[in-house]
C-alpha cells in the first residue's frame, strides 16, 4: 500500500471539512493585498487537478489584473443587475438593491475559468451521451479552486450577473471557448460565519432530510437512523 | 476574530490538498462493504454546503441500493456505451473497449444528484443572465461530495455514459428535475496513483502553463516567476 493510500489523519479530514463549511461567496470583505505567486500557483494547480470527462481538462485560466478590463466587466454587471432588479417588487426589490453582489474592482485579482468546448476533438470519452459534461467538469475545477483558496485564507466570489457574450468579447475569447465562471479573488478582512443571503433574510438553508430520496424520486427515505445523523 | 477565521494549520491545509490530488474517478476497485450512516451523512452534508446561485440549493439526492434499479441503469449504460465505441477505430477502439467505465453493480451505493430547475421560483438571484447557473451549482455539490468521500477513504465514479431521459424515467423524476450526476460510491481496495485514463495511455495531463492567459485570451502570461511555481 503506497503512501497515498494511508487513511487521512483527523486533522487532515478536519481541514477538508473546514474548507467546505467555512467557504463563503465573498462580495464585500476583499483586501487589496496581492496574492503571492507560490499561493496563486497552488490554487491554479488545485483547479487543474479536478476530475474531467474523458480526462478532457477543458479549462483555461484568464488572470485579470488590468483595471481597464475589470471596468468593462463591471459595466456589464451594472447593466445586467439593473435588469435583474426589475424582477422584484416592494420590500424584496429594496433588499435586492441593498445587496452587494460583486467585488470586481476591490479584489486584487479577477479570474475567468473558461471551458474550451472543442478540446479533445469530436469524441471525448464519456461526452457522447451528455454533451454538457465539459461544462460540468469545468465547474468541478471552480470548486477545487474555491476550496483551496479558503484553506489559504483567500476569498472567492462568483459573479454570475454578467452578459456572457459581452464577457467573451471583453476577454477576446474564441468562439469555441465559453466563459464559465468569473471569479473575484483576494485575501479578506474576515470570512462571514454564515452565507450573506441567509443572514440578510433572502433565503434559508433547506433541511437536508427534505432532499433525500430512496431508489426513486417518489420514495422517501424511511430510515430514521440515517436522517438522525443530519442533525449532528 | 471568531474561531472560523483562524488560519488553517499545516495539517488541515495538507488534508484539503490531499483530497484534491488523491481523488480518483473510481471504476474497478469497489468493495462491497456498506457505508456507515454517520459517514454517509457527513458526505451528504458536505454536498449540501456547496455554493449555489442565489442560495438556491437546487440539488436533491436519490440514494440507490435496489439491485433492480441499478440493473436498469446498467442496461442504459451498455446501450450508450455500444454506440460510443463506434466513434473510435482500430487500436483506439480496442483500448476503448478494454476500459472499465462504471461500477454500478459492484459499488454498494449509487447516488443520483439531481438539479431541480424550478426551485426558488422564476427569479433566482444571479440566475437571470446565465440560466444554467443552477446546473453549475449542482456540480459544485458533486465536487464537495467527491472530495469528502476521498477524505473518508471512499471512492466515487461519475457515470456519464447514460441516456438522461431514460435515467429520469428509471428514477421517476418529475419533468423539472434533471439527473445531473450518476455516481457509484463505495470503499475501495486502493486509490490509484494516477488517473486510469492517463496510465492506460488514453490522454495525458496538459501542462498547466499552456492554460494560463493574462487579461485577455490572446495575451500569454509573460511572468516567468509565476510559471516557475507550477513545477513545484
Amino acid at each position: 500500500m503506497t503512501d497515498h493510500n494511508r487513511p487521512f489523519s483527523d486533522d487532515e479530514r478536519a481541514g477538508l471539512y473546514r474548507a467546505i463549511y467555512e467557504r463563503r461567496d465573498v462580495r464585500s470583505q476583499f483586501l487589496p493585498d496581492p496574492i503571492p505567486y507560490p499561493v496563486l500557483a497552488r490554487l491554479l494547480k488545485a483547479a487543474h487537478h479536478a476530475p474531467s470527462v474523458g480526462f478532457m481538462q477543458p479549462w483555461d485560466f484568464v488572470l485579470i489584473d488590468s483595471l481597464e478590463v475589470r471596468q468593462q466587466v463591471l459595466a456589464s454587471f451594472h447593466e445586467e443587475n439593473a435588469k435583474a432588479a426589475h424582477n422584484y417588487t416592494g420590500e424584496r426589490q429594496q433588499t435586492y438593491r441593498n445587496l452587494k453582489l460583486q467585488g470586481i474592482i476591490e479584489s486584487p485579482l479577477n479570474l475567468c475559468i473558461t471551458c474550451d468546448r472543442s478540446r479533445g476533438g469530436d469524441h471525448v470519452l464519456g461526452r457522447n451521451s451528455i454533451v454538457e459534461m465539459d461544462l460540468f467538469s469545468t465547474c468541478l475545477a471552480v470548486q477545487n479552486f474555491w476550496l483551496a483558496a479558503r484553506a489559504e485564507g483567500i476569498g472567492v466570489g462568483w459573479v454570475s450577473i454578467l452578459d456572457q457574450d459581452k464577457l467573451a468579447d471583453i476577454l477576446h475569447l474564441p468562439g469555441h471557448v465559453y466563459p464559465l465562471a468569473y471569479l473575484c479573488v483576494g485575501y479578506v478582512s474576515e470570512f462571514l460565519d454564515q452565507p450573506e443571503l441567509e443572514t440578510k433574510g433572502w433565503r434559508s438553508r433547506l433541511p437536508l432530510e427534505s432532499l433525500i430520496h430512496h431508489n426513486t424520486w417518489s420514495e422517501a427515505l424511511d430510515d430514521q437512523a440515517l436522517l438522525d445523523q443530519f442533525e449532528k
Side-chain angles (χ1 to χ4, degrees), chain A residues 2 9 15-16 27 33 42 44 56 134 136 164 202 214:
Chain A
T2 57
S9 71
L16 184 271
R27 314 291 169 171
D33 313 54
R42 286 201 289 274
L44 293 166
M56 180 187 183
D134 56 348
F136 299 164
Q164 297 298 88
W202 188 262
H214 188 212

Side-chain angles (χ1 to χ4, degrees), chain A residues 132-169:
Chain A
E132 299 82 8
M133 278 302 293
D134 56 348
L135 301 174
F136 299 164
S137 299
T138 306
C139 293
L140 307 182
V142 172
Q143 186 65 354
N144 270 13
F145 184 93
W146 210 332
L147 293 171
R150 180 60 191 86
E152 302 279 2
I154 291 170
V156 172
W158 183 334
V159 184
S160 63
I161 304 175
L162 291 174
D163 179 318
Q164 297 298 88
D165 292 333
K166 278 197 190 150
L167 181 57
D169 279 350

Side-chain angles (χ1 to χ4, degrees), chain A residues 17-212:
Chain A
Y17 283 119
R18 271 199 74 186
I20 286 175
Y21 284 107
E22 299 176 9
R23 180 210 49 75
R24 290 289 165 264
D25 201 334
V26 176
R27 314 291 169 171
S28 304
Q29 295 84 24
F30 285 113
L31 301 172
D33 313 54
I35 300 168
Y37 282 166
V39 179
L40 180 57
R42 286 201 289 274
L43 304 188
L44 293 166
K45 282 167 74 171
H48 188 41
H49 280 75
S52 63
V53 65
F55 206 35
M56 180 187 183
Q57 309 159 73
W59 42 71
D60 277 80
F61 306 94
V62 187
L63 302 170
I64 301 153
D65 51 12
S66 152
L67 185 60
E68 193 192 327
V69 172
R70 287 190 284 159
Q71 277 167 339
Q72 292 175 51
V73 176
L74 183 62
S76 172
F77 167 82
H78 282 313
E79 209 171 305
E80 292 300 302
N81 198 41
K83 283 190 244 169
H86 288 295
N87 294 321
Y88 309 103
T89 52
E91 201 181 326
R92 192 83 169 159
Q93 189 181 79
Q94 203 47 56
T95 306
Y96 184 87
R97 287 189 188 278
N98 286 338
L99 290 169
K100 171 102 167 92
L101 296 173
Q102 53 75 31
I104 293 169
I105 305 296
E106 303 92 306
S107 61
L109 179 70
N110 290 188
L111 169 67
C112 187
I113 302 187
T114 62
C115 177
D116 182 342
R117 311 212 63 181
S118 71
R119 190 162 292 159
D122 286 342
H123 297 295
V124 169
L125 185 153
R127 203 194 149 206
N128 287 290
S129 306
I130 312 173
V131 75
E132 299 82 8
M133 278 302 293
D134 56 348
L135 301 174
F136 299 164
S137 299
T138 306
C139 293
L140 307 182
V142 172
Q143 186 65 354
N144 270 13
F145 184 93
W146 210 332
L147 293 171
R150 180 60 191 86
E152 302 279 2
I154 291 170
V156 172
W158 183 334
V159 184
S160 63
I161 304 175
L162 291 174
D163 179 318
Q164 297 298 88
D165 292 333
K166 278 197 190 150
L167 181 57
D169 279 350
I170 294 167
L171 302 180
H172 303 179
L173 302 185
H176 58 281
V177 175
Y178 178 75
L180 186 113
Y182 195 87
L183 308 175
C184 302
V185 183
Y187 288 101
V188 295
S189 55
E190 62 166 338
F191 288 97
L192 299 177
D193 193 32
Q194 298 294 332
E196 217 167 342
L197 292 181
E198 194 173 14
T199 50
K200 295 209 168 153
W202 188 262
R203 277 178 74 79
S204 307
R205 195 177 293 282
L206 300 170
L208 177 51
E209 57 271 24
S210 70
L211 306 175
I212 306 288

